[in-house]
Amino acid sequence: MSSAATDPVPPPPGGVLWTLAGDVRALLMLPAALTMQVAHPAVGAGVDEHSVFRTDPWGRGERSLRSLQLWVYGGPDAAAEGRRLRDLHRTIQGVDAHGRRYHALDPAYYAWVHATGFPVYQHAARYLVRPLTEAQERALYAEWLRVGRILGLRDRDMPQTLEEFWPYYRTVLAEEIEATAVVRELVSLDAPVRPPDRGPLALRLALRALWPLLLPRILRFRRFMTIGLMPPEAREAIGLEWSDRQERALRRFGRVVRAVVPALPERLRYLPLARRARQQARRDGTLPRKTLIRSAPPPARNELRRKPARRASSE
Protein backbone atom coordinates (compact mmCIF):
# COMPACT_ATOMS: atom_id res chain seq x y z
CA MET A 1 0.00 0.00 0.00
CA SER A 2 1.26 3.50 -0.85
CA SER A 3 2.44 5.70 1.96
CA ALA A 4 2.03 9.47 2.22
CA ALA A 5 5.72 9.88 1.40
CA THR A 6 5.38 8.13 -1.97
CA ASP A 7 1.85 9.17 -2.94
CA PRO A 8 1.55 11.30 -6.10
CA VAL A 9 1.05 15.00 -5.37
CA PRO A 10 -2.08 16.89 -6.53
CA PRO A 11 -1.80 20.00 -8.73
CA PRO A 12 -0.48 23.13 -6.99
CA PRO A 13 -2.72 25.87 -5.53
CA GLY A 14 -3.26 28.70 -7.97
CA GLY A 15 -2.50 26.59 -11.04
CA VAL A 16 -4.62 26.50 -14.17
CA LEU A 17 -6.50 23.40 -13.04
CA TRP A 18 -7.19 24.96 -9.64
CA THR A 19 -8.71 27.92 -11.46
CA LEU A 20 -10.94 25.81 -13.71
CA ALA A 21 -11.96 22.64 -11.88
CA GLY A 22 -13.60 24.21 -8.82
CA ASP A 23 -15.34 27.10 -10.57
CA VAL A 24 -19.10 26.56 -11.00
CA ARG A 25 -18.57 26.87 -14.76
CA ALA A 26 -16.89 23.46 -14.63
CA LEU A 27 -20.35 21.96 -14.08
CA LEU A 28 -21.23 23.02 -17.62
CA MET A 29 -18.09 21.38 -19.02
CA LEU A 30 -18.35 17.95 -17.43
CA PRO A 31 -21.17 16.49 -19.61
CA ALA A 32 -19.05 16.96 -22.73
CA ALA A 33 -16.15 15.03 -21.18
CA LEU A 34 -18.44 12.26 -19.93
CA THR A 35 -20.00 11.89 -23.38
CA MET A 36 -16.58 11.64 -25.00
CA GLN A 37 -15.59 8.98 -22.48
CA VAL A 38 -18.58 6.74 -23.17
CA ALA A 39 -18.14 7.22 -26.93
CA HIS A 40 -15.36 4.66 -26.59
CA PRO A 41 -17.13 1.28 -27.03
CA ALA A 42 -15.37 -0.34 -24.05
CA VAL A 43 -16.09 2.56 -21.70
CA GLY A 44 -19.64 2.88 -22.99
CA ALA A 45 -20.27 -0.82 -22.39
CA GLY A 46 -18.87 -0.59 -18.87
CA VAL A 47 -21.11 2.34 -18.00
CA ASP A 48 -24.11 0.76 -19.71
CA GLU A 49 -23.75 -2.53 -17.81
CA HIS A 50 -22.34 -1.46 -14.44
CA SER A 51 -23.20 2.18 -13.71
CA VAL A 52 -26.24 3.37 -11.74
CA PHE A 53 -26.55 6.56 -13.84
CA ARG A 54 -30.07 5.54 -14.87
CA THR A 55 -31.40 4.42 -11.47
CA ASP A 56 -29.57 6.97 -9.32
CA PRO A 57 -28.52 9.84 -11.64
CA TRP A 58 -28.35 12.55 -9.00
CA GLY A 59 -26.47 10.42 -6.47
CA ARG A 60 -24.05 9.18 -9.11
CA GLY A 61 -23.45 12.74 -10.32
CA GLU A 62 -22.86 13.99 -6.79
CA ARG A 63 -20.37 11.20 -6.01
CA SER A 64 -18.51 11.68 -9.29
CA LEU A 65 -18.24 15.43 -8.75
CA ARG A 66 -16.91 14.99 -5.22
CA SER A 67 -14.37 12.46 -6.47
CA LEU A 68 -13.14 14.81 -9.19
CA GLN A 69 -12.82 17.65 -6.70
CA LEU A 70 -10.76 15.47 -4.38
CA TRP A 71 -8.25 14.73 -7.15
CA VAL A 72 -7.50 18.44 -7.44
CA TYR A 73 -8.28 19.95 -4.03
CA GLY A 74 -8.06 16.95 -1.71
CA GLY A 75 -4.45 17.36 -0.62
CA PRO A 76 -3.42 14.17 1.22
CA ASP A 77 -6.86 12.65 0.53
CA ALA A 78 -6.38 12.83 -3.25
CA ALA A 79 -4.23 9.69 -3.54
CA ALA A 80 -6.58 7.75 -1.24
CA GLU A 81 -9.47 8.68 -3.51
CA GLY A 82 -7.49 7.50 -6.53
CA ARG A 83 -6.90 4.12 -4.87
CA ARG A 84 -10.59 3.88 -3.94
CA LEU A 85 -11.58 4.42 -7.57
CA ARG A 86 -9.22 1.76 -8.84
CA ASP A 87 -10.55 -0.70 -6.28
CA LEU A 88 -14.09 0.17 -7.36
CA HIS A 89 -13.27 -0.58 -11.00
CA ARG A 90 -11.40 -3.86 -10.47
CA THR A 91 -14.48 -6.02 -11.03
CA ILE A 92 -15.90 -4.03 -13.98
CA GLN A 93 -15.48 -6.11 -17.10
CA GLY A 94 -17.54 -7.61 -19.89
CA VAL A 95 -18.01 -7.59 -23.65
CA ASP A 96 -18.64 -4.44 -25.71
CA ALA A 97 -21.09 -3.99 -28.59
CA HIS A 98 -18.49 -5.33 -31.04
CA GLY A 99 -17.97 -8.55 -29.10
CA ARG A 100 -14.60 -7.46 -27.68
CA ARG A 101 -13.78 -8.13 -24.06
CA TYR A 102 -13.01 -5.14 -21.86
CA HIS A 103 -11.81 -4.45 -18.34
CA ALA A 104 -12.25 -1.02 -16.78
CA LEU A 105 -8.61 -0.86 -15.65
CA ASP A 106 -7.17 -1.70 -19.06
CA PRO A 107 -4.61 1.12 -19.43
CA ALA A 108 -5.88 2.16 -22.86
CA TYR A 109 -9.47 2.56 -21.65
CA TYR A 110 -8.61 4.03 -18.26
CA ALA A 111 -6.26 6.54 -19.91
CA TRP A 112 -8.92 7.62 -22.42
CA VAL A 113 -11.41 8.31 -19.62
CA HIS A 114 -8.86 10.58 -18.00
CA ALA A 115 -7.55 12.10 -21.24
CA THR A 116 -10.92 13.54 -22.28
CA GLY A 117 -10.81 16.14 -19.51
CA PHE A 118 -7.93 18.09 -21.03
CA PRO A 119 -9.38 18.90 -24.49
CA VAL A 120 -12.77 19.69 -22.95
CA TYR A 121 -11.28 22.13 -20.41
CA GLN A 122 -9.16 23.66 -23.16
CA HIS A 123 -12.08 24.07 -25.57
CA ALA A 124 -14.82 25.07 -23.10
CA ALA A 125 -12.63 27.68 -21.41
CA ARG A 126 -12.66 29.63 -24.67
CA TYR A 127 -16.38 30.17 -24.30
CA LEU A 128 -16.95 30.30 -20.55
CA VAL A 129 -13.70 31.75 -19.17
CA ARG A 130 -11.15 32.83 -21.78
CA PRO A 131 -8.83 31.18 -24.31
CA LEU A 132 -5.76 29.68 -22.70
CA THR A 133 -2.35 30.88 -23.77
CA GLU A 134 0.12 28.29 -24.99
CA ALA A 135 1.91 28.43 -21.63
CA GLN A 136 -1.38 27.90 -19.79
CA GLU A 137 -2.26 24.96 -22.00
CA ARG A 138 1.08 23.33 -21.26
CA ALA A 139 0.66 24.00 -17.54
CA LEU A 140 -2.88 22.57 -17.64
CA TYR A 141 -1.70 19.43 -19.39
CA ALA A 142 1.17 18.94 -16.93
CA GLU A 143 -1.30 19.34 -14.05
CA TRP A 144 -3.71 16.89 -15.69
CA LEU A 145 -0.89 14.35 -15.89
CA ARG A 146 -0.40 14.78 -12.15
CA VAL A 147 -4.07 13.99 -11.64
CA GLY A 148 -3.60 10.91 -13.83
CA ARG A 149 -0.89 9.66 -11.50
CA ILE A 150 -3.28 10.11 -8.57
CA LEU A 151 -5.72 7.87 -10.45
CA GLY A 152 -3.05 5.21 -10.85
CA LEU A 153 -2.05 5.89 -14.45
CA ARG A 154 1.60 5.26 -15.19
CA ASP A 155 3.61 7.71 -17.25
CA ARG A 156 3.76 5.20 -20.10
CA ASP A 157 -0.05 5.05 -20.18
CA MET A 158 -0.48 8.72 -21.16
CA PRO A 159 1.34 10.94 -23.66
CA GLN A 160 3.77 13.02 -21.62
CA THR A 161 3.79 16.17 -23.79
CA LEU A 162 1.25 18.14 -25.78
CA GLU A 163 3.15 17.26 -28.96
CA GLU A 164 2.50 13.59 -28.15
CA PHE A 165 -1.03 14.12 -26.88
CA TRP A 166 -2.68 15.56 -29.99
CA PRO A 167 -1.69 12.69 -32.36
CA TYR A 168 -2.82 10.17 -29.70
CA TYR A 169 -6.10 12.03 -29.29
CA ARG A 170 -6.79 12.21 -33.04
CA THR A 171 -5.97 8.52 -33.43
CA VAL A 172 -8.50 7.49 -30.78
CA LEU A 173 -11.11 9.75 -32.37
CA ALA A 174 -10.47 8.30 -35.81
CA GLU A 175 -10.19 4.62 -34.87
CA GLU A 176 -12.26 4.03 -31.72
CA ILE A 177 -14.90 6.66 -31.04
CA GLU A 178 -18.51 6.19 -32.10
CA ALA A 179 -22.07 7.07 -31.11
CA THR A 180 -22.57 4.32 -28.54
CA ALA A 181 -25.91 3.59 -26.92
CA VAL A 182 -24.90 5.58 -23.84
CA VAL A 183 -23.87 8.56 -25.97
CA ARG A 184 -27.27 8.56 -27.64
CA GLU A 185 -28.92 8.41 -24.24
CA LEU A 186 -26.87 11.30 -22.85
CA VAL A 187 -27.88 13.63 -25.69
CA SER A 188 -31.44 12.35 -25.98
CA LEU A 189 -34.33 14.78 -25.74
CA ASP A 190 -36.69 12.20 -24.24
CA ALA A 191 -34.51 10.42 -21.67
CA PRO A 192 -36.50 9.27 -18.59
CA VAL A 193 -34.56 11.28 -15.98
CA ARG A 194 -36.07 11.26 -12.50
CA PRO A 195 -36.52 14.49 -10.50
CA PRO A 196 -33.82 15.24 -7.89
CA ASP A 197 -34.09 13.13 -4.73
CA ARG A 198 -31.87 15.30 -2.52
CA GLY A 199 -32.00 18.80 -1.14
CA PRO A 200 -34.64 20.59 0.98
CA LEU A 201 -37.97 18.75 1.10
CA ALA A 202 -39.93 21.78 -0.11
CA LEU A 203 -37.67 22.11 -3.15
CA ARG A 204 -37.90 18.40 -3.96
CA LEU A 205 -41.69 18.50 -3.77
CA ALA A 206 -41.84 21.57 -6.00
CA LEU A 207 -39.52 20.01 -8.56
CA ARG A 208 -41.50 16.79 -8.54
CA ALA A 209 -44.69 18.70 -9.30
CA LEU A 210 -43.09 20.79 -12.04
CA TRP A 211 -40.91 18.01 -13.49
CA PRO A 212 -43.11 17.26 -16.55
CA LEU A 213 -42.67 20.90 -17.58
CA LEU A 214 -39.03 21.26 -16.56
CA LEU A 215 -37.55 18.03 -17.90
CA PRO A 216 -37.90 18.77 -21.66
CA ARG A 217 -36.19 22.12 -21.14
CA ILE A 218 -33.45 20.59 -19.01
CA LEU A 219 -32.78 17.91 -21.63
CA ARG A 220 -32.60 20.51 -24.42
CA PHE A 221 -30.13 22.56 -22.39
CA ARG A 222 -28.07 19.47 -21.52
CA ARG A 223 -27.82 18.45 -25.17
CA PHE A 224 -26.94 22.00 -26.22
CA MET A 225 -24.14 22.36 -23.67
CA THR A 226 -22.85 18.80 -24.12
CA ILE A 227 -22.44 19.10 -27.88
CA GLY A 228 -21.45 22.77 -27.89
CA LEU A 229 -18.65 22.47 -25.34
CA MET A 230 -17.30 19.30 -26.92
CA PRO A 231 -14.25 19.96 -29.14
CA PRO A 232 -15.40 20.10 -32.79
CA GLU A 233 -13.19 17.21 -33.86
CA ALA A 234 -14.70 14.96 -31.17
CA ARG A 235 -18.20 16.11 -32.04
CA GLU A 236 -17.59 15.19 -35.67
CA ALA A 237 -16.02 11.83 -34.81
CA ILE A 238 -19.09 10.84 -32.81
CA GLY A 239 -21.46 12.19 -35.47
CA LEU A 240 -23.17 14.91 -33.42
CA GLU A 241 -24.61 17.77 -35.48
CA TRP A 242 -23.87 21.39 -34.59
CA SER A 243 -25.13 24.33 -36.65
CA ASP A 244 -23.89 27.89 -37.12
CA ARG A 245 -27.05 29.07 -35.38
CA GLN A 246 -26.25 26.92 -32.34
CA GLU A 247 -22.67 28.22 -32.37
CA ARG A 248 -23.92 31.81 -32.25
CA ALA A 249 -26.27 30.95 -29.38
CA LEU A 250 -23.43 29.31 -27.45
CA ARG A 251 -21.23 32.37 -27.91
CA ARG A 252 -24.03 34.62 -26.63
CA PHE A 253 -24.50 32.33 -23.64
CA GLY A 254 -20.76 32.39 -23.00
CA ARG A 255 -20.73 36.19 -22.93
CA VAL A 256 -23.40 36.18 -20.23
CA VAL A 257 -21.56 33.55 -18.19
CA ARG A 258 -18.27 35.43 -18.44
CA ALA A 259 -19.95 38.59 -17.20
CA VAL A 260 -21.94 37.03 -14.35
CA VAL A 261 -19.74 34.37 -12.75
CA PRO A 262 -16.69 36.53 -11.92
CA ALA A 263 -19.02 38.94 -10.08
CA LEU A 264 -20.38 36.22 -7.79
CA PRO A 265 -19.17 35.97 -4.19
CA GLU A 266 -16.72 33.16 -3.55
CA ARG A 267 -19.32 31.02 -1.75
CA LEU A 268 -21.38 30.94 -4.96
CA ARG A 269 -18.59 30.93 -7.52
CA TYR A 270 -16.68 27.89 -6.23
CA LEU A 271 -17.80 24.37 -5.41
CA PRO A 272 -17.58 23.43 -1.71
CA LEU A 273 -14.32 21.43 -1.71
CA ALA A 274 -12.64 23.98 -3.95
CA ARG A 275 -13.82 26.85 -1.79
CA ARG A 276 -12.49 25.27 1.39
CA ALA A 277 -9.18 24.42 -0.29
CA ARG A 278 -8.84 28.00 -1.53
CA GLN A 279 -9.52 29.35 1.94
CA GLN A 280 -6.91 27.04 3.45
CA ALA A 281 -4.35 27.89 0.77
CA ARG A 282 -5.00 31.57 1.39
CA ARG A 283 -4.36 31.09 5.11
CA ASP A 284 -1.18 29.17 4.30
CA GLY A 285 -0.03 31.87 1.90
CA THR A 286 0.17 29.45 -1.04
CA LEU A 287 -2.68 30.88 -3.16
CA PRO A 288 -1.57 33.64 -5.57
CA ARG A 289 -3.59 36.83 -5.34
CA LYS A 290 -4.08 36.96 -9.10
CA THR A 291 -5.73 34.07 -10.92
CA LEU A 292 -4.02 32.72 -14.03
CA ILE A 293 -7.17 32.96 -16.13
CA ARG A 294 -9.51 35.95 -16.42
CA SER A 295 -12.66 36.32 -18.50
CA ALA A 296 -12.25 37.51 -22.08
CA PRO A 297 -14.03 37.07 -25.43
CA PRO A 298 -13.50 33.71 -27.17
CA PRO A 299 -11.71 33.56 -30.54
CA ALA A 300 -13.53 33.44 -33.84
CA ARG A 301 -15.07 30.10 -34.79
CA ASN A 302 -12.52 29.42 -37.53
CA GLU A 303 -9.77 29.78 -34.91
CA LEU A 304 -11.49 27.16 -32.77
CA ARG A 305 -11.17 24.72 -35.64
CA ARG A 306 -7.65 25.69 -36.73
CA LYS A 307 -5.79 25.27 -33.45
CA PRO A 308 -5.50 21.45 -33.35
CA ALA A 309 -4.39 21.51 -37.01
CA ARG A 310 -1.50 23.83 -36.14
CA ARG A 311 -0.40 21.41 -33.43
CA ALA A 312 -0.51 18.57 -35.93
CA SER A 313 2.18 20.25 -38.01
CA SER A 314 4.62 20.01 -35.10
CA GLU A 315 4.78 16.19 -35.16
Side-chain angles (χ1 to χ4, degrees):
M1 180 178 293
S2 298
S3 67
T6 58
D7 279 342
V9 179
V16 179
L17 193 54
W18 257 62
T19 304
L20 291 174
D23 189 296
V24 293
R25 288 171 282 193
L27 296 176
L28 298 172
M29 306 177 189
L30 295 178
L34 173 60
T35 303
M36 287 172 60
Q37 291 167 12
V38 299
H40 192 294
V43 181
V47 170
D48 190 22
E49 296 170 5
H50 298 275
S51 175
V52 296
F53 81 99
R54 296 185 184 94
T55 57
D56 183 23
W58 303 101
R60 200 265 189 183
E62 183 179 61
R63 292 187 296 274
S64 296
L65 181 61
R66 175 175 171 76
S67 183
L68 188 155
Q69 295 288 291
L70 281 171
W71 310 341
V72 180
Y73 304 103
D77 294 329
E81 175 63 13
R83 290 191 292 270
R84 186 192 71 83
L85 283 178
R86 288 187 70 85
D87 288 343
L88 183 68
H89 287 82
R90 289 190 193 283
T91 60
I92 296 179
Q93 57 187 311
V95 178
D96 69 16
H98 300 285
R100 300 173 300 198
R101 297 201 62 80
Y102 69 84
H103 190 288
L105 293 182
D106 183 296
Y109 309 151
Y110 207 58
W112 173 250
V113 169
H114 180 58
T116 57
F118 171 73
V120 168
Y121 277 134
Q122 183 242 28
H123 178 69
R126 302 176 191 179
Y127 293 92
L128 304 181
V129 187
R130 71 170 301 159
L132 302 180
T133 65
E134 182 179 351
Q136 288 168 340
E137 287 186 7
R138 291 185 180 279
L140 175 61
Y141 189 69
E143 292 166 13
W144 202 235
L145 288 177
R146 290 174 72 160
V147 172
R149 296 182 190 109
I150 287 170
L151 297 177
L153 287 168
R154 301 158 299 184
D155 286 352
R156 66 175 179 268
D157 296 333
M158 281 282 293
Q160 292 299 294
T161 67
L162 277 181
E163 287 76 15
E164 295 170 337
F165 174 79
W166 293 113
Y168 153 78
Y169 170 68
R170 290 191 302 272
T171 298
V172 177
L173 291 181
E175 298 180 0
E176 299 286 347
I177 297 310
E178 62 184 42
T180 63
V182 181
V183 166
R184 293 192 295 272
E185 195 166 341
L186 291 178
V187 297
S188 171
L189 294 178
D190 56 3
V193 180
R194 300 177 180 182
D197 57 359
R198 52 209 63 221
L201 177 60
L203 177 61
R204 282 185 281 136
L205 292 175
L207 287 173
R208 189 179 304 168
L210 295 171
W211 202 240
L213 295 174
L214 293 175
L215 181 58
R217 293 166 174 81
I218 292 172
L219 293 177
R220 283 198 296 272
F221 181 72
R222 181 178 74 171
R223 178 183 172 90
F224 175 73
M225 297 307 300
T226 298
I227 300 176
L229 295 183
M230 185 180 295
E233 61 276 10
R235 184 193 304 153
E236 293 166 4
I238 298 172
L240 298 171
E241 295 183 357
W242 185 251
S243 68
D244 289 340
R245 180 179 179 182
Q246 289 172 310
E247 177 68 20
R248 291 191 296 271
L250 179 61
R251 293 170 69 84
R252 289 194 298 269
F253 178 78
R255 285 195 291 271
V256 173
V257 170
R258 293 195 306 275
V260 171
V261 173
L264 295 175
E266 186 166 285
R267 64 185 177 83
L268 297 178
R269 181 175 176 180
Y270 294 100
L271 300 170
L273 279 175
R275 186 172 65 249
R276 291 196 292 271
R278 289 174 61 84
Q279 291 168 349
Q280 183 61 51
R282 197 176 291 118
R283 287 192 293 268
D284 296 341
T286 58
L287 184 65
R289 291 187 177 183
K290 292 184 178 181
T291 60
L292 293 179
I293 307 171
R294 295 183 179 182
S295 294
R301 186 177 186 183
N302 60 342
E303 293 180 23
L304 295 177
R305 290 179 174 275
R306 274 204 310 269
K307 200 159 188 179
R310 289 204 301 271
R311 290 193 183 97
S313 63
S314 66
E315 293 179 48

